[in-house]
């Protein structure tokens, strides 16, 4: 067969002609690389926003396709989102309907995602397929948000992985990723109970090392390593982001069913735990009164800590646990779209 050197002699002039044509006189350009390196590889956004993931060709290859896909965390698979040949595009999967190409110019293959959801966070790949040498750029979409530990009324360590995932979704959240938990830890999350993360690991964040909390070592995120997703039971770490609607407090001495009625009368529903955390984080909700939430827990959000307000030094969402639903002692937090 022809030697590699012969092939190179044959191919090189051809490669350079393409680039002379496309880029003027940059013969020093390192081979046929069509995709420009993104300036920012991490794009920050929040739930409900419209976000653009940039992918731009420096030159048009003779014929090509661009394929966008998402790499699912903790799973070794990619979900296709959109494929285009420069003229027509076709969408796939749960993102298909909310994803489109920006097409700002002839060489623009950037992806626009409308109404960003919690599950859109993660790594995306824009791949150029032009028959000879495929190339791709990877981008990460990060959402601003807040992580909250969650356990049900029957106490701690009740969830296997799948139940933890469902519990977060029921509270208007999603299982947190390790990166989200790490971010929350740097922002002050200190929690002694271990919880599931989206990747399938079990961890807990410690700021103040103490004996009942993994001993007096250094602060950090303690790990139980990978666990059996069906058999092992822990709490959940949930993540939520900005809200479309708003959360408001209704005072009173209400039972849980009284709370539901009070919110209904105001055209709202009893807020979920995720709603309360999002309102605390993004709208600065600050209320010194315990209020019912949809899961039967009673909590209150504090932005400005003060002595007669739970007496705790840091801002946060405080919990009174799960009182008896018939106990008429609290107001309620309502959520309206």
């Amino acid at each position: 067969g022809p030697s590699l050197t012969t092939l190179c002699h044959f191919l090189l002039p051809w490669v350079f002609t393409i680039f002379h044509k496309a880029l003027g006189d940059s013969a020093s350009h390192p081979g046929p690389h069509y995709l420009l390196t993104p300036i920012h590889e991490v794009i920050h956004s929040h739930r409900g926003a419209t976000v653009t993931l940039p992918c731009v060709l420096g030159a048009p290859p003779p014929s090509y396709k661009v394929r966008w896909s998402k790499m699912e965390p903790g799973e070794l698979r990619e979900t296709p989102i959109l494929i285009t040949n420069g003229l027509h595009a076709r969408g796939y999967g749960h993102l298909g309907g909310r994803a489109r190409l920006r097409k700002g110019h002839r060489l623009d293959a950037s992806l626009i995602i409308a109404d960003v959801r919690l599950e859109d966070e993660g790594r995306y790949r824009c791949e150029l397929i032009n028959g000879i040498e495929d190339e791709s750029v990877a981008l990460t979409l990060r959402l601003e948000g807040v992580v909250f530990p969650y356990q049900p009324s029957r106490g701690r360590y009740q969830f296997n992985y799948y139940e933890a995932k469902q519990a977060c979704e029921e509270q208007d959240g999603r299982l947190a990723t390790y990166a989200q938990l790490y971010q929350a830890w740097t922002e002050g999350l200190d929690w002694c109970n271990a919880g599931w993360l989206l990747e399938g690991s079990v961890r807990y964040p410690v700021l103040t090392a103490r004996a009942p909390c993994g001993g007096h070592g250094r602060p950090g995120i303690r790990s139980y390593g990978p666990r059996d997703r069906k058999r092992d039971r822990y709490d959940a770490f949930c993540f939520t982001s900005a809200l479309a609607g708003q959360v408001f407090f209704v005072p009173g001495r209400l039972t849980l069913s009284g709370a539901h009625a009070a919110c209904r009368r105001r055209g709202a529903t009893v807020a979920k735990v995720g709603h309360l955390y999002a309102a605390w984080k993004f709208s600065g909700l600050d209320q010194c009164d315990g209020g019912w939430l949809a899961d039967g827990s009673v909590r209150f959000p504090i932005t400005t800590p003060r002595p007669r307000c739970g007496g705790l030094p840091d801002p946060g969402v405080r919990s009174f646990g799960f009182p008896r639903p018939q106990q008429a002692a609290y107001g309620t937090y309502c959520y309206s779209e």
Side-chain angles (χ1 to χ4, degrees), residues 313-333:
D314 298 315
V317 174
R318 311 275 176 259
S319 173
F320 289 141
F322 293 84
R324 292 198 320 281
Q326 297 81 16
Q327 196 176 332
Y330 305 101
T332 181
Y333 289 94

Side-chain angles (χ1 to χ4, degrees), residues 18-34:
I18 292 184
F19 271 93
H20 270 294
K21 280 193 196 125
L23 300 169
D25 225 335
S26 63
S28 61
H29 195 283
H33 288 297
Y34 295 104

